[in-house]
Amino acid sequence: MTRTLTLTTDAFRDQHGDPATWSSATLDSYLVIGEIAPPPPLRYTHRQMQRMSVSYARSAAAKDELADQLAAEGYDIAAGTLRRGAREAREHAEAAGLGWPHYEAFLNGW
């Protein structure tokens, strides 16, 4: 009988089904895999997050510039909307600059 080695907790759950039906030995195996398995890779690399941060910062600057122009022409409501958008873009830029785990927490409100 040939057994395949399960290296991730997700694959182990897929192979063994509902954890509520596991024996204590199966549960112990799962816990051991959880301790030794490498963590899943981040969704975005540090470099990608830095690019995203720069992009959000540029967007904020462009929105601020347009808001200033609109305010100078008397379009205060439109300028206010753009300023809120610029503030949100700056918040995203700051969170993205700290890397994926922080950005994910920011997006989910953790």
Side-chain angles (χ1 to χ4, degrees), residues 3-74:
R3 294 198 122 198
T4 58
L5 182 59
T6 306
L7 296 177
T8 68
T9 53
D10 289 340
F12 189 91
R13 284 192 308 271
D14 290 345
Q15 184 178 357
H16 291 88
D18 183 10
T21 64
W22 292 353
S23 68
S24 58
T26 304
L27 184 58
D28 287 344
S29 296
Y30 178 78
L31 293 174
V32 168
I33 289 171
E35 291 175 1
I36 65 172
L42 297 176
R43 184 166 183 180
Y44 296 103
T45 65
H46 183 71
R47 178 175 285 165
Q48 290 170 321
M49 292 307 302
Q50 297 310 305
R51 286 187 201 142
M52 193 180 297
S53 177
V54 168
S55 178
Y56 276 121
R58 285 182 185 152
S59 175
K63 289 176 183 181
D64 276 333
E65 182 180 340
L66 184 55
D68 290 342
Q69 290 173 3
L70 289 171
E73 294 172 10

Side-chain angles (χ1 to χ4, degrees), residues 79-94:
T81 301
L82 280 169
R83 288 192 203 291
R84 281 191 301 279
R87 184 182 62 244
E88 291 174 4
R90 281 190 295 278
E91 291 170 358
H92 279 268
E94 181 181 339

